[in-house]
Amino acid sequence: VYGLLGLAGDADELGIRPDYTTSTTLAQVFTQTARAIIQKNWKIQRKRGLQILRYGSLGQRKSAPKNQTDLPSWVPEWNGKIAKTYQREMSFLACGVIRMPDLVPTSSSTILGLRGFYVGAIVDLGEQARVDIWRRSPDGAKKIVGFFDNVRRLLNM
């Protein structure tokens, strides 16, 4: 992150200052960077302000190195292969094009505060569809059928 600041034309606007002290963790650097990008983009073009969330893990981290265990789920892991959690272009427009959610201050830098509306509570989750992997698996057909059984169960709830 710090090495790329010299190449970024908007580095001054982001307000990220390299801190190479031993007390600064990788998680802190990644979190500070993600927050700076969100806040900068929010001021310029609100609908794009949260697009970086597409690259966070949202609870799907494969492994967490010891210096990264406190990395919030909304922060991308920039030290590895970055994959989109959500594929659609406008993943975070649940409120439509009329009004975007507001950023709100929080008590911790690891918490991303967004004003929104309570719609309901999640009571159950299904398995992520992994058809591309299941097709190559010896028991892939069984997994695909099981996935659709799970979808049926969720629809009946």
Side-chain angles (χ1 to χ4, degrees):
V1 170
Y2 294 157
L4 292 175
L5 283 176
L7 301 174
D10 59 352
D12 290 338
E13 296 172 40
L14 290 173
I16 301 170
R17 303 289 173 253
D19 179 1
Y20 294 103
T21 59
T22 56
S23 62
T24 302
T25 66
L26 185 60
Q28 288 171 324
V29 174
F30 285 179
T31 302
Q32 174 194 18
T33 304
R35 185 175 292 282
I37 290 170
I38 290 170
Q39 289 173 334
K40 176 188 178 281
N41 288 341
W42 196 261
K43 293 174 189 171
I44 296 170
Q45 190 179 17
R46 290 178 64 138
K47 70 179 184 177
R48 298 279 187 209
L50 298 178
Q51 289 299 309
I52 195 170
L53 296 181
R54 296 168 62 197
Y55 300 95
S57 72
L58 301 178
Q60 300 178 33
R61 296 218 193 278
K62 304 277 188 289
S63 62
K66 64 181 177 180
N67 62 349
Q68 213 169 295
T69 54
D70 54 347
L71 191 62
S73 62
W74 55 272
V75 176
E77 293 179 86
W78 281 303
N79 59 339
K81 182 180 177 187
I82 298 177
K84 292 179 184 176
T85 305
Y86 294 100
Q87 296 298 322
R88 290 184 301 146
E89 182 60 29
M90 302 306 284
S91 300
F92 294 94
L93 284 180
C95 58
V97 295
I98 298 170
R99 178 169 159 70
M100 293 298 297
D102 295 320
L103 290 174
V104 295
T106 61
S107 60
S108 169
S109 64
T110 61
I111 298 172
L112 180 65
L114 298 170
R115 188 176 323 280
F117 298 97
Y118 177 79
V119 177
I122 297 172
V123 294
D124 200 352
L125 296 172
E127 184 180 353
Q128 180 180 359
R130 306 296 303 235
V131 177
D132 56 325
I133 296 171
W134 294 341
R135 281 188 305 182
R136 292 174 271 176
S137 172
D139 61 340
K142 184 177 179 180
K143 289 183 179 184
I144 292 171
V145 170
F147 171 78
F148 284 109
D149 286 342
N150 197 23
V151 169
R152 185 179 307 111
R153 180 186 63 80
L154 292 170
L155 288 171
N156 289 330
M157 287 182 68

